[in-house]
Amino acid sequence: MPVERKIIFIIAAAFFVLVMRLGQLQLFHGDELRRLSEENRLHIVKVPAPRGIIYDRNGEPLVENKPYFSVSLSPEMLGMVDLDAVSAFLGMKKEEISAKTDGRGKNSLGGIMLKEGLTFQEVAYIEARLSDYPGLSVEVDVMRNYLWKDVAAHVIGYLGRLNPRQAKSPELKDVPSHAFVGQWGVERVFDGSLRGAPGERVIEVDAAGRELRLIIEKPPVKGEDLYLSIDLNMQREAERAFGDHAGALVALKPDTGEVLALVSKPSFDPNLFAKGINYSDWIALQEDKRFPMLNRALQSQYPPGSVFKIVTGIAALEEKAVALDTPVTCTGGLSSGSWRFGCWRKEGHGTLSFHNALVQSCDVYFYTAGRRTGINSIASYARKLGLGSKVGLQLVEDKAGCIPDEDWKRKTKGQPWYQGETYIASIGQGYVLVTPLQAARLMSAIANGGHIYDVTLTLPESPRRPVRDIGVSEETLKEIKSALMGV
């Protein structure tokens, strides 16, 4: 066979194979290849929604939104970019970029965040040179600025990057992987409504990943604003009064259960978390012996002391263990067996009836009232008044406190209850523990005539109703309030 005919035969055979292969791809893989082509040509860019603003009860803003810029690399461009050039361009070490890109394939979802928290000057510099670095793009997100810094930080909370556990949550499936979401406080509790709905931009790009034109744009939906029940002026004044002391304060509106102020000191500045807290700041907060991240109003349990005399007094009056005119003589202490239980006033209060005993907070009077009433009855009334159970404010997992009785000690200590322990518990010491929030709810129930309300941090949209009554007579409450006015 002449050489020319061999060449023609080879070309014809190759052309035949090529046609057959094209036919196979078109007939059997056409849809898949078309889809892959569209994915390479069209990009979907998530547009963050402006987060809802948090206000106090008087409309004073507690936070504001600020733009947060970052530069990312399109996954499709992995393997096609010069990492040395990109690292020099962004002022980063090559190892930093490699650490961010390792393990990310070209089919990864979302851009690969290389550098974040860019200044306006950095954004301008990068934007002006993006055409030289295919696959790089500047993205904008929304960052929180907490206007009052550490004021009400334990209430407001903070934002943070979506963590791996949250990324698996069905509620957050539409949130971009690099987005900020609520991690603590009301930012977390109301994250769904504050966050809003992100928008989308469908853009056409060239082979280098450069944007050619906008195909479709779906604008983001701003998050809902949130009005807290907190009064900023009251909150600031309460925090100022603490100075450098550690402690907690809760102020409630008695007839609704609204929180007017909630203080936990020492506090922290949530702006530390706004851009993603750095390691040294996080370690400093965690190792601080004053525990600034502890919400003492909900998570610390304290012996209530003389506040508990209200409970003992109610139990004693309701159970007829004492009458309003029952006299008790205080000589500075009370003896029981070989033990002596002192009064805070060493010289004693003399002979007192109920009203003056509560006004002067006489320990001996309430030792006596507690002994006559019994620990089981005192504990029962304490629980009716909301002590010994979680309030459930949702900011953090709150503590239940401890209201002891005979059964409690037998189960937890394996021991019987002793009369001396009743004396101690009657004045709010010993095993008795409450949180500041529980104590505030107790005082609210006395002030409002015997009603327990769910505690809330937001302004109610309609009149609030109590969840239950404490089951104490009007006469007893009247006497308790009269004595407290005397205090």
Side-chain angles (χ1 to χ4, degrees), residues 42 54 73 75 131 272 294 309 337 365 392 421 426 467 470:
L42 301 179
I54 302 173
L73 172 66
S131 59
L272 289 172
L294 175 69
K309 291 172 184 174
Y365 185 97
E421 292 171 319
S426 296
V467 293
I470 60 176

Side-chain angles (χ1 to χ4, degrees), residues 85 231 416 483:
D231 185 307

Side-chain angles (χ1 to χ4, degrees), residues 52-97:
I53 300 300
I54 302 173
Y55 297 92
D56 86 332
R57 67 184 299 112
N58 301 310
E60 185 73 31
L62 305 175
V63 302
E64 67 177 2
N65 293 328
K66 297 174 66 176
Y68 184 76
F69 298 99
S70 55
V71 60
S72 63
L73 172 66
S74 173
E76 291 88 347
M77 300 304 294
L78 276 175
M80 301 173 62
V81 297
D82 184 342
L83 293 186
D84 289 315
V86 170
S87 62
F89 173 53
L90 297 179
M92 299 174 65
K93 295 180 180 178
K94 183 180 177 181
E95 294 76 17
E96 289 182 74
I97 294 182

Side-chain angles (χ1 to χ4, degrees), residues 56-57 152 155 186 227-232 234-235 249-254 256-263 297-298 391 393 395 437 440-441 444 453-460 464:
D56 86 332
R57 67 184 299 112
V155 174
V186 298
Y227 286 82
L228 299 183
S229 58
I230 294 291
D231 185 307
L232 178 60
M234 185 183 295
Q235 179 79 26
L249 175 145
V250 179
L252 298 180
K253 196 167 183 287
T256 64
E258 298 166 50
V259 178
L260 298 174
L262 190 150
V263 176
L298 282 73
V391 176
L393 194 54
L395 284 178
L437 181 57
R441 189 170 62 168
S444 289
Y453 286 86
D454 281 333
V455 178
T456 180
L457 278 164
T458 58
L459 284 180
R464 305 200 78 216

Side-chain angles (χ1 to χ4, degrees), residues 192-206:
S193 59
L194 286 167
R195 190 172 64 244
E200 288 183 350
R201 297 178 72 245
V202 181
I203 58 174
E204 184 179 4
V205 297
D206 61 15

Side-chain angles (χ1 to χ4, degrees), residues 356-403:
N356 286 330
L358 190 53
V359 170
Q360 299 187 45
S361 191
C362 176
D363 293 334
V364 169
Y365 185 97
F366 287 95
Y367 293 150
T368 305
R371 184 192 70 229
R372 294 180 182 181
T373 307
I375 188 60
N376 291 337
S377 289
I378 293 172
S380 175
Y381 280 93
R383 294 179 186 120
K384 289 180 183 179
L385 287 157
L387 305 182
S389 60
K390 295 181 180 181
V391 176
L393 194 54
Q394 294 186 297
L395 284 178
V396 289
E397 183 69 21
D398 61 331
K399 299 293 186 180
C402 180
I403 299 300

Side-chain angles (χ1 to χ4, degrees), residues 333-353:
L334 181 151
S335 296
S336 178
S338 60
W339 295 89
R340 180 170 175 80
F341 300 88
C343 183
W344 69 266
R345 189 173 185 178
K346 294 181 179 180
E347 64 272 24
H349 289 95
T351 301
L352 299 165
S353 60

